[in-house]
Amino acid sequence: MSFEESERLESVPPSGIRRYFELAEEYDDIISLGVGEPDFAPPWAARDAAIGSLERGQTSYTPNRGLRELREEIAAHTSEKYDLDYDPDEEILVTAGASEALDLAFRAFHDPGDKVAVSQPSYLSYVPGATLAGADVIDVPTRPEDDFKLTPEVLEAAGAAEADTLVMCYPNNPTGATMTREELAPVAEFVREHDLRVFADEIYAALSYEHEHTSIATLPGMRERTVVFNGFSKAYAMTGLRLGYALAPPEAIEAMNRIHQYTMLSAPTTAQHAAIEALRNCESDVAEMRAQYDRRRNFVLSRFEEMGLDCFPASGAFYVFPECPWEDSDAFAEALIEEQGVAVVPGDVFGTGGDGHLRVTYATGLGDLKEALARIEEFID
Amino acid sequence: MSSREQILPLLRENARYSTEDLARQTGLDESEVEATIQELERDGVVKGYRAIVDRDKVEPERVRASVELNVTLDRETGYDDIAERLAKFPEVQGLRLVSGDFDFAMDVEGDSMSEVSHFISEKVAPVPEITQTVTHYIMETYKEGGVEFGDGDDDDRLSISP
Ligand SMILES: Cc1ncc(COP(=O)(O)O)c(C=O)c1O
């Protein structure tokens, strides 16, 4: 007997981000603009609620779908903020991060050979998630000239009409792109026309700076074919607490829960208690973090403009996605770490549409951000 | 959002942001930023700029006390009259009229405990309307002006993550 990898796993390459991580780890004084998580701590009230739940010994499993109280809060919150009305009993599943929910969805609805169209550049887990579920991936590269928004043209060109599922993420990691209701409408039309289902990763919904976030599930005819993914990692800076959720019609949640009940049982209990408090009493903390991100975003975009680095005005999440001044963005990122001690991630790591760009995170205090930008300026001069 | 509403939270966060930094963060022109700050100062919205200092780290340490005052008013004297009189003393660093068991909460500062005690007994207690003073010496400051005094938390995030 040996540990030879399964064919499925063999077709999943090691994460392209690993190289930069290892490189960055070699240096002590690095300023990293390569991080995919908030620099804030979770609101204290949420942490305090987690501590309180531990003191009371609330550490057993919860119902598979999550604490009923939490599902009610999620239902109230998503309804109020995003017009997403989901039933706490049948249409919400609380998971160990949005990551788990995505994995469940890939596995619950795909047979070998099914096709999953992934809007690119994208968060790193979609392609492996689809591949491990046995599906074939169709890359849908979005274009710089569209500010990395999804359009029926790019979907058509990529052959997404043949797909069973479309995976999309706005506000987007890594580009910071967002889409308005008007911009989503033609995408929804394409999806309906070709009878796709949609996985809408909306984990950055709370971080949309130029306009209110619109969920594609709120467009006509979309609710019944969409799974919405969200969580507490970004808006509430709770990454390590590992808590997310999926919103979908009853039969979809039922299917995802069938895997979840065997593989996870229930999402982390302590995190669920923190999340209840986060939803009830931490809106002002979220507003304050959002205001700070927005100011840093302005700061970075204004500095890029000054140093002549082309960058579309990203309006969501905590990333900007400038064009790389060198042809080879991998070489640029490596040299930037080695020579200036500043880490960014080359865009091609995030898939086909991302080449020639850099992902720059502004989830970093203004002092460090300023210094890092000064070093980038020096480097490209 | 008005330029005032944009600038004020930033000044409160860090009054030493340069005009340029303020402009970049808000998307306003530097000249607009300057004009807004001048206006805030002229209108008395911004009263001044000061450092938040952890005094335990400064020598010589000053003594601070928070003092509760009870007063009785009469026909001729109101809270404002008493407040004005007390606020003039340089020892008084803060003065607020509050609800509850006492009337004024006053912050006093001096070089030594005896200096502060002396100030309370010689200057404050004799004011005819003041019926009672309770002095609490400050022993340790954990948070001031919204800033926690501690070592701060390290950034323990991975240097690169998806
Ligand atoms: C687009 C996107 N989706 C999902 C996740 C993972 O979220 P969670 O921490 O809830 O698993 C991330 C984290 O970086 C992300 O950027």
Side-chain angles (χ1 to χ4, degrees):
Chain A
M1 205 2 110
S2 72
F3 291 106
E4 200 182 316
E5 289 180 4
S6 69
E7 276 169 34
R8 273 188 194 179
L9 183 55
E10 267 192 336
S11 58
V12 174
S15 169
I17 214 160
R18 186 87 215 161
R19 232 175 89 220
Y20 301 93
F21 174 68
E22 278 162 10
L23 192 60
E25 288 294 290
E26 285 172 28
Y27 300 83
D28 279 343
D29 267 341
I30 214 147
I31 304 181
S32 182
L33 308 182
V35 185
E37 60 179 318
D39 58 318
F40 299 104
W44 173 251
R47 283 184 276 161
D48 189 52
I51 295 165
S53 75
L54 287 172
E55 282 173 345
R56 290 189 296 277
Q58 293 173 309
T59 53
S60 9
Y61 297 127
T62 72
N64 295 138
R65 289 169 185 235
L67 290 168
R68 161 91 206 184
E69 223 179 335
L70 174 57
R71 280 177 282 134
E72 278 171 10
E73 290 297 335
I74 291 170
H77 176 84
T78 56
S79 170
E80 188 196 317
K81 290 258 167 209
Y82 309 118
D83 265 340
L84 290 165
D85 293 313
Y86 287 84
D87 178 53
D89 286 323
E90 298 201 76
E91 299 183 313
I92 298 178
L93 179 64
V94 178
T95 54
S99 304
E100 192 218 346
L102 282 157
D103 179 47
L104 296 176
F106 283 124
R107 286 194 281 159
F109 307 117
H110 298 105
D111 288 312
D114 281 2
K115 295 190 176 67
V116 174
V118 178
S119 161
Q120 305 263 28
S122 73
Y123 178 56
L124 291 178
S125 82
Y126 308 144
V127 172
T131 308
L132 287 170
D136 296 331
V137 171
I138 302 174
D139 284 341
V140 182
T142 56
R143 304 181 303 182
E145 57 266 39
D146 299 327
D147 289 353
F148 298 99
K149 295 171 200 286
L150 203 51
T151 64
E153 291 73 34
V154 298
L155 284 164
E156 190 74 60
E162 301 302 312
D164 300 283
T165 302
L166 168 65
V167 186
M168 57 188 286
C169 171
Y170 292 94
N172 183 266
N173 174 8
T175 63
T178 60
M179 288 181 71
T180 63
R181 176 170 293 271
E182 293 67 39
E183 290 161 344
L184 287 169
V187 173
E189 195 182 319
F190 180 94
V191 163
R192 284 190 308 262
E193 186 184 332
H194 299 286
D195 195 23
L196 312 188
R197 76 171 78 77
V198 174
F199 290 174
D201 183 349
E202 300 184 1
I203 194 153
Y204 292 100
L207 303 177
S208 172
Y209 308 108
E210 301 286 345
H211 52 86
E212 302 248 305
H213 172 73
T214 298
S215 172
I216 192 161
T218 60
L219 273 70
M222 292 303 294
R223 188 186 192 280
E224 59 264 36
R225 56 177 71 244
T226 304
V227 184
V228 177
F229 302 86
N230 205 331
F232 295 86
S233 287
K234 313 297 171 174
Y236 299 93
M238 281 170 41
T239 41
L241 291 179
R242 310 305 306 122
L243 204 69
Y245 54 88
L247 310 172
E251 65 280 13
I253 291 295
E254 168 61 30
M256 289 166 65
N257 187 37
R258 276 236 301 298
I259 307 176
H260 174 79
Q261 71 188 355
Y262 292 120
T263 55
M264 189 62 67
L265 277 75
S266 60
T269 304
T270 311
Q272 293 192 48
H273 288 286
I276 292 171
E277 179 65 20
L279 290 172
R280 280 194 188 147
N281 291 316
C282 298
E283 266 329 284
S284 60
D285 300 72
V286 176
E288 175 54 33
M289 290 189 265
R290 178 180 31 232
Q292 288 212 30
Y293 289 134
D294 190 18
R295 288 181 213 137
R296 297 168 182 175
R297 176 179 73 101
N298 290 333
F299 190 91
V300 175
L301 289 172
S302 135
R303 287 289 279 117
F304 280 168
E305 191 179 329
E306 187 179 50
M307 51 178 109
L309 208 56
D310 273 332
C311 187
F312 83 97
S315 49
F318 33 64
Y319 311 103
V320 287
F321 206 60
E323 270 179 38
C324 184
W326 299 6
E327 185 102 26
D328 183 345
S329 53
D330 296 293
F332 180 91
E334 266 180 45
L336 188 65
I337 295 181
E338 280 162 9
E339 288 174 34
Q340 295 287 350
V342 174
V344 299
V345 185
D348 58 352
V349 163
F350 299 96
T352 29
D355 47 329
H357 289 76
L358 303 166
R359 187 190 74 172
V360 177
T361 309
Y362 50 86
T364 299
L366 198 76
D368 273 354
L369 202 53
K370 218 171 143 172
E371 169 64 23
L373 290 164
R375 293 189 199 173
I376 292 175
E377 183 167 37
E378 195 183 312
F379 184 66
I380 61 182
D381 266 355
Chain B
M1 231 196 297
S2 70
S3 54
R4 272 187 185 216
E5 284 166 335
Q6 287 182 282
I7 295 292
L8 204 51
L10 279 170
L11 290 179
R12 296 191 60 172
E13 179 179 288
N14 182 353
R16 277 179 53 91
Y17 280 137
S18 65
T19 308
E20 186 191 320
D21 287 352
L22 291 168
R24 287 192 196 283
Q25 290 185 80
T26 54
L28 300 168
D29 293 340
E30 287 192 39
S31 58
E32 270 178 279
V33 171
E34 279 294 350
T36 307
I37 294 175
Q38 271 171 23
E39 213 181 273
L40 286 165
E41 290 171 356
R42 194 193 58 216
D43 294 351
V45 179
V46 171
K47 301 285 189 193
Y49 307 90
R50 284 192 173 176
I52 298 162
V53 175
D54 185 346
R55 291 159 207 251
D56 291 350
K57 300 201 166 125
V58 187
E59 297 287 340
E61 220 180 293
R62 301 260 289 166
V63 173
R64 292 197 296 160
S66 100
V67 185
E68 303 170 359
L69 302 177
N70 268 305
V71 301
T72 45
L73 303 177
D74 57 39
R75 234 183 272 282
E76 274 77 48
T77 324
Y79 286 123
D80 291 356
D81 302 309
I82 301 166
E84 216 170 297
R85 186 164 170 189
L86 292 171
K88 292 271 188 298
F89 288 108
E91 289 87 346
V92 174
Q93 293 288 310
L95 183 64
R96 297 171 186 86
L97 183 66
V98 296
S99 62
D101 286 345
F102 53 95
D103 299 307
F104 285 105
M106 182 168 79
D107 302 329
V108 177
E109 203 175 295
D111 283 335
S112 65
M113 230 143 117
S114 67
E115 188 188 304
V116 171
S117 305
H118 197 255
F119 170 70
I120 303 293
S121 59
E122 297 302 311
K123 304 284 194 236
V124 180
V127 174
E129 294 81 6
I130 294 180
T131 54
Q132 195 191 18
T133 70
V134 180
T135 305
H136 305 274
Y137 285 101
I138 288 168
M139 298 163 70
E140 181 81 53
T141 302
Y142 297 98
K143 188 173 185 179
E144 192 161 301
V147 177
E148 271 184 79
F149 292 179
D151 292 335
D153 302 322
D154 288 339
D155 188 346
D156 53 7
R157 296 178 295 167
L158 301 177
S159 53
I160 307 268
S161 54

